[in-house]
């Protein structure tokens, strides 16, 4: 079983920045895909960014140029640097390993508001 622990959410003003972290522990053999999804009230969960073990990353259209995903394979940790935050970025952010049929964190709230 894999356990994902997220941290770094909170309240930030528009234009501000936050950094999310997610560490994996438990039955780890070799994690390939790590990423972040988000879900706002009344909306479907959407891709924010994913990164494979080699470092290749894919971003959702709404965050391209503002968010950067990275990972530390030795620590089984994935990060999400979020800059130029907008009110529309307000959501619960979920860490994910190995795709939508894989493992999920408990979620961390990000609120962008003045």
């Amino acid at each position: 079983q894999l356990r994902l622990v997220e941290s770094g959410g909170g309240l930030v003003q528009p234009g501000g920045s936050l950094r999310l972290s997610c560490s994996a522990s438990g039955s780890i053999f070799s994690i390939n895909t790590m990423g972040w999804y988000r879900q706002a009230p009344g909306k479907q969960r959407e891709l924010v960014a994913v990164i494979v073990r080699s470092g290749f990353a894919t971003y959702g259209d709404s965050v391209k140029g503002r968010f950067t995903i990275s990972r530390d394979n030795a620590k089984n940790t994935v990060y999400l640097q979020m800059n130029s935050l907008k009110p529309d970025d307000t959501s619960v952010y979920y860490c994910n390993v190995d795709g939508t049929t894989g493992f999920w964190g408990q979620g961390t709230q990000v609120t962008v508001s003045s």
Side-chain angles (χ1 to χ4, degrees):
Q1 190 69 16
L2 203 65
R3 181 169 178 251
L4 302 176
V5 177
E6 300 140 333
S7 61
L11 173 65
V12 64
Q13 291 188 343
S17 298
L18 280 176
R19 188 188 192 215
L20 306 183
S21 300
C22 172
S23 294
S25 62
S27 301
I28 298 171
F29 176 64
S30 180
I31 296 175
N32 185 26
T33 304
M34 303 185 80
W36 296 92
Y37 291 73
R38 67 186 183 186
Q39 188 168 20
K43 294 187 177 181
Q44 288 189 331
R45 190 169 294 189
E46 64 173 351
L47 169 73
V48 177
V50 294
I51 184 169
V52 295
R53 193 168 184 84
S54 65
F56 181 79
T58 300
Y59 295 90
D61 288 341
S62 61
V63 306
K64 284 180 181 177
R66 300 188 297 122
F67 292 9
T68 301
I69 190 170
S70 60
R71 64 190 284 174
D72 184 331
N73 292 329
K75 296 181 178 179
N76 292 308
T77 299
V78 62
Y79 307 95
L80 185 68
Q81 178 66 42
M82 305 184 293
N83 298 328
S84 303
L85 283 161
K86 306 174 182 179
D88 283 350
D89 295 317
T90 296
S91 193
V92 178
Y93 284 71
Y94 295 92
C95 178
N96 171 267
V97 166
D98 287 347
T100 55
T101 58
F103 299 91
W104 295 93
Q106 79 283 2
T108 184
Q109 177 70 46
V110 172
T111 302
V112 184
S113 175
S114 55

